[in-house]
Amino acid sequence: MAKRTTTAKASPKPAAPVAAAASDAERTLHMSLLRSMLLQRRFEERCAEAYAIGRIGGFCHLYIGQEAVSTGTLSHLRPDDYMITTYRDHGQALARGLTPRSVMAELFGRVDGCAGGKGGSMHMFDKATGFLGGHGIVGGHLPIATGVGFAIKYRGGDQVICCLFGEAAVNNGAFHESLNMAALWKLPVIFIIENNRYGMGTAVERASAINDIYQRASSYDMHRGVVDGQDVLAVRAAIDEAVTRARTEQSPTLLEMRTYRFMGHSMSDAVSGTYRSKAELDEYLKRDPIALLRAHMEERGTLTEQVMQELDTELKAIVQDAWDFAEASPEPPLEALMENVYVDTTSDTGNAAGAWS
Amino acid sequence: MAIITYRDALNQALREEMQRDARVFLMGEEVGVYQGAYKVSKGLLQEFGEMRVVDTPITELGFAGVGVGAAMVGLRPVIEFMTWNFALLALDQVVNAAAKMLYMSGGQFNIPMVFRGPNGAALQLGAQHSQAWESWLAHIPGLKVVAPGTPYDAKGLLKAAIRDDNPVCVLEGEMLYNNKGEVPDGEYIVPLGVADLKRKGEHATIVTWGKQVLVAMAAADQLAKDGITIDVVDLRSIRPLDERAIIDSVRKTNRCVVLEEGWYFAGVGAQITDLVQRECFDDLDSPVIRVTQADAPMPYAKGLEKAAKADMPKTIAAVRRALYLD
Ligand SMILES: Cc1ncc(C[n+]2csc(CCOP(=O)(O)OP(=O)(O)O)c2C)c(N)n1
């Protein structure tokens, strides 16, 4: 993906019909990607169930169909890198390594949730893994990501921040302000558009003056590319290139991941009907990211039916455990209401030497 | 004690805090090469370099958010708005991000940062450039809001704001930058949330803050000629609010005038009036009277602008009314 050019959509699949047998490394990679995606899927299927019976309240946006983006992206990050995202954040939190227990407990509004029950579905946070939040204002977290990139550069580190957002955000001023600053100051930020074709019920063509929205980066002379967001290996390859550039040249990239959400915008939205047809949905369901990886793995000999079944059983048990844990976790005590409005500390010592914590 | 301007007092605060802590940086429009739209950051680029004194494009929402992001991962940004009028474009970051991050994250991410710049009206700048924002900002749980009226308080409060581990909005005054006052030579801090009794009297209390402190002091001078003495309670911080200082003064004088620069409707004065009626009900000899800007956008024409502002004659008239003299 050279600057100012389009990346091919192709995934790095073996070119020759008689490819070499899969190495252990390939097998391990495939299994970890499959595991990550399938965990998100099984987890969110139970979220839908929990929502239906009132365990989860408020707005709840499922990620089902888009798992290749989170998994492909986050499988590349180091533990000390950062990531920030929107309200559609359960899958990404899991892919970043937050425990299913802490995410489910947050969804249930319980003290053991990753934000103590104060964030909810849209606001997952975890300092330990550099998960800087699910954010509820469309476009609002892009300037924040840019600031994290600024801080990385300020401290002279080689970390990166991945910032995920829906395609509707590219029409908002925060997007443009952020891309301009990131390009102007050469910041290690990877802006990742999850183009699932709809911002609620508004198709991208009805909202954006250009349809190849990654080309918006051309206004900022920024590296850019478009990626098959259903192909986890293609996502990985694109992220690899962007991360390397961010680490070594500290320059930003805009990637458009073409994906699709298989569920409604939120729990109150029908899966298809007013703004998209059942036929369209069915067409996209054929490109389920998990099924695609599974087919590829079977072709490469890295997955058998039995292993798949065992994995599925294991993940379902993990999700059940998360549910049970969340259910058993207490609701926050009423004292928590007025806690965390302010901290009562000040920086009394300063840090003249610039020793970064 | 040196006599320096409010501008230089702020400049000293920035310099000292940047020397003391490498995590502190200043970012905003024209803060570097131009040396600050109001020259508050004079010399800082030369001393600290481009990474710590950062000129931005005209992108308020963007750079306010850059500050929030940098604060989330351990830096201590000072974000300068050329004036608070322009901060309106950045309110999403101030209100939805900076103020709520600690709470939404269940206590994981505090935001140690400062938003600062001139607030309120100067002279004949018209409707869009002449607004006082404290009631908007102080309304938000998670934000602290301070408004220094003197060079001493400007330096001490800005230093305290930079050291505070919460987001703090520092409301300066375009008309104050040239004002001079005594500032100690050594290090000092004015703690957030502590009011200052700028003048002692017996007959009435004027509660005020920011640039209106000067108006209150001038009004008190005039009233003294008629033998009326005034407690001038300079809040300095609007949030956290030093309720004790207000209550103590009103219990002593039994009369309260609240003088603020901004509009009447849902202004900070309404909050203070609520406090006084609750805590000093039996002490009051007259209703609390509020002096505010006229409830209209700021006009340009000189005469109209003067008529709109909460000035000394209106303050004097309010005190006299509180004393049933007129
Ligand atoms: C600034 C703002 N305007 C409107 C909304 C309401 N809203 C929430 S999600 C959404 C659609 C966003 O679509 P997109 O960015 O493509 O992300 P997706 O939901 O598809 O993941 C809208 C309009 C909001 N949260 N923030």
Side-chain angles (χ1 to χ4, degrees):
Chain A
M1 174 190 3
K3 196 167 189 179
R4 290 178 292 278
T5 63
T6 314
T7 297
K9 286 192 196 175
S11 69
K13 283 184 182 155
V18 198
S23 63
D24 281 351
E26 186 179 355
R27 191 180 301 272
T28 309
L29 171 67
H30 285 176
M31 277 311 290
S32 77
L33 298 175
L34 181 65
R35 186 185 180 87
S36 165
M37 289 200 288
L38 196 58
L39 172 63
Q40 295 173 59
R41 181 68 58 90
R42 294 292 175 250
F43 185 93
E44 284 209 309
E45 286 164 354
R46 298 300 304 278
C47 291
E49 187 188 327
Y51 195 87
I53 60 169
R55 289 292 188 286
I56 300 174
F59 288 141
C60 180
H61 310 82
L62 300 185
Y63 193 62
I64 291 176
Q66 303 181 208
E67 295 95 339
V69 180
S70 56
T71 294
T73 299
L74 292 165
S75 64
H76 245 300
L77 295 196
R78 293 195 319 227
D80 63 338
D81 288 329
Y82 299 103
M83 116 111 217
I84 191 165
T85 186
T86 67
Y87 44 84
R88 201 178 294 286
D89 59 355
H90 322 151
Q92 296 159 355
L94 295 173
R96 182 57 179 159
L98 276 77
T99 65
R101 285 180 165 197
S102 73
V103 179
M104 194 66 90
E106 190 57 39
L107 285 161
F108 280 32
R110 305 299 169 92
V111 280
D112 296 302
C114 60
K118 282 182 168 168
S121 166
M122 298 190 283
H123 307 302
M124 300 286 165
F125 284 86
D126 184 44
K127 198 166 190 173
T129 56
F131 193 86
L132 304 181
H135 296 264
I137 307 297
V138 169
H141 63 296
L142 277 73
I144 299 174
T146 308
V148 175
F150 177 86
I152 293 168
K153 185 165 182 169
Y154 188 97
R155 296 185 302 216
D158 73 339
Q159 295 137 296
V160 303
I161 171 146
C162 283
C163 174
L164 290 114
F165 50 93
E167 84 291 337
V170 306
N171 303 311
N172 155 320
F175 169 84
H176 295 278
E177 297 192 21
S178 301
L179 263 68
N180 183 52
M181 287 185 295
L184 179 70
W185 295 333
K186 296 199 84 194
L187 304 178
V189 186
I190 302 161
F191 295 100
I192 300 164
I193 307 166
E194 296 199 66
N195 181 0
N196 62 13
R197 305 237 333 100
Y198 297 94
M200 289 182 74
T202 305
V204 60
E205 303 82 23
R206 296 179 57 227
S208 173
I210 58 171
N211 294 341
D212 283 331
I213 52 181
Y214 66 96
Q215 291 294 13
R216 295 210 182 212
S218 62
S219 305
Y220 306 107
D221 196 21
M222 187 187 285
H223 291 276
R224 56 192 173 276
V226 59
V227 183
D228 177 356
Q230 301 309 87
D231 180 344
V232 68
L233 296 172
V235 173
R236 254 183 78 84
I239 294 288
D240 183 25
E241 196 179 320
V243 166
T244 304
R245 179 163 42 243
R247 289 208 205 289
T248 55
E249 301 165 27
Q250 288 201 316
S251 68
T253 301
L254 176 71
L255 293 173
E256 177 186 346
M257 305 283 180
R258 296 220 167 136
T259 182
Y260 202 78
R261 73 171 145 70
F262 293 169
M263 310 298 282
H265 167 73
S266 65
M267 298 309 295
S268 58
D269 177 32
V271 173
S272 66
T274 56
Y275 60 88
R276 66 182 192 187
S277 66
K278 175 88 171 49
E280 178 186 304
L281 176 65
D282 287 343
E283 211 39 51
Y284 277 98
L285 286 171
K286 291 180 192 156
R287 304 207 69 243
D288 183 322
I290 297 175
L292 290 185
L293 176 64
R294 196 176 161 183
H296 176 66
M297 287 173 73
E298 281 164 0
E299 194 181 306
R300 296 287 299 138
T302 53
L303 183 69
T304 62
E305 179 62 30
Q306 194 199 337
V307 170
M308 181 69 191
Q309 288 313 326
E310 283 167 11
L311 179 65
D312 201 29
T313 307
E314 183 199 343
L315 293 177
K316 281 179 175 160
I318 287 174
V319 174
Q320 182 61 49
D321 168 74
W323 179 303
D324 295 341
F325 174 82
E327 189 116 278
S329 173
E331 293 200 6
L334 288 182
E335 303 89 83
L337 175 66
M338 297 309 294
E339 288 167 3
N340 310 133
V341 180
Y342 298 96
V343 285
D344 58 7
T345 52
T346 54
S347 165
D348 291 329
T349 51
N351 185 352
W356 311 121
S357 55
Chain B
M1 287 268 191
I3 307 275
I4 63 170
T5 61
Y6 187 97
R7 169 186 293 111
D8 289 340
L10 292 167
N11 181 275
Q12 283 185 6
L14 288 168
R15 174 173 282 113
E16 289 173 17
E17 292 306 299
M18 289 177 76
Q19 284 168 347
R20 176 178 182 272
D21 194 334
R23 297 170 300 184
V24 178
F25 68 92
L26 175 67
M27 175 176 274
E29 292 156 15
E30 310 293 357
V31 297
V33 174
Y34 193 84
Q35 308 280 294
Y38 297 97
K39 308 300 172 208
V40 169
S41 52
K42 194 169 172 203
L44 298 183
L45 173 67
Q46 287 67 19
E47 181 170 346
F48 298 102
E50 283 186 346
M51 203 67 216
R52 297 188 64 196
V53 181
V54 188
D55 279 326
T56 66
I58 301 170
T59 187
E60 282 80 7
L61 175 66
F63 66 74
V66 165
V68 174
M72 276 185 94
V73 297
L75 300 187
R76 305 183 74 85
V78 178
I79 298 296
E80 176 172 317
F81 293 122
M82 194 177 279
T83 83
W84 274 94
N85 297 289
F86 314 133
L88 211 56
L89 280 80
L91 273 194
D92 178 47
Q93 290 299 332
V94 179
V95 174
N96 274 320
K100 296 182 178 43
M101 205 69 75
L102 179 71
Y103 199 83
M104 288 195 302
S105 68
Q108 293 178 82
F109 291 97
N110 67 303
I111 305 294
M113 74 184 290
V114 171
F115 298 103
R116 50 160 287 269
N119 175 58
L123 286 176
Q124 284 197 285
L125 297 183
Q128 293 180 329
H129 285 73
S130 311
Q131 306 175 83
W133 294 108
E134 50 268 45
S135 66
W136 285 53
L137 298 165
H139 187 60
I140 310 297
L143 295 180
K144 294 187 178 183
V145 182
V146 303
T150 65
Y152 176 91
D153 290 335
K155 180 171 178 181
L157 284 171
L158 180 55
K159 285 170 72 83
I162 292 171
R163 293 182 194 191
D164 200 275
D165 282 338
N166 299 283
V168 184
C169 301
V170 180
L171 308 178
E172 301 162 8
E174 213 168 314
M175 304 294 287
L176 294 175
Y177 287 129
N178 282 333
N179 286 356
K180 290 191 170 162
E182 283 191 348
V183 169
D185 299 322
E187 161 96 14
Y188 72 97
I189 286 280
V190 173
L192 306 186
V194 180
D196 184 36
L197 191 58
K198 282 277 185 306
R199 185 181 176 118
K200 266 196 185 146
E202 302 166 44
H203 302 110
T205 296
I206 300 178
V207 179
T208 192
W209 59 90
K211 115 178 46 142
Q212 299 302 81
V213 171
L214 305 184
V215 176
M217 297 297 275
D221 280 345
Q222 283 301 314
L223 287 161
K225 292 180 186 159
D226 297 329
I228 302 165
T229 63
I230 304 291
D231 252 13
V232 175
V233 177
D234 175 3
L235 293 178
R236 302 196 290 196
S237 296
I238 293 146
R239 189 168 183 149
L241 182 65
D242 189 346
E243 299 190 345
R244 194 72 256 160
I246 299 170
I247 294 165
D248 286 348
S249 175
V250 175
R251 286 197 178 149
K252 182 182 75 179
T253 66
N254 313 112
R255 296 167 204 266
C256 181
V257 169
V258 186
L259 167 62
E260 74 185 291
E261 182 176 4
W263 290 298
Y264 175 73
F265 197 96
V268 173
Q271 182 68 27
I272 293 164
T273 306
D274 165 70
L275 171 78
V276 172
Q277 63 84 23
R278 248 184 310 113
E279 297 292 334
C280 312
F281 189 76
D282 292 330
D283 305 289
L284 285 175
D285 286 342
S286 61
V288 178
I289 298 180
R290 294 177 56 200
V291 184
T292 69
Q293 182 188 336
D295 217 2
M298 187 64 85
Y300 165 73
K302 245 187 191 155
L304 289 181
E305 185 186 52
K306 189 171 176 333
K309 284 181 169 175
D311 61 3
M312 183 180 74
K314 286 176 194 152
T315 308
I316 291 172
V319 172
R320 292 183 65 87
R321 242 169 70 219
L323 290 160
Y324 296 114
L325 290 174
D326 292 322

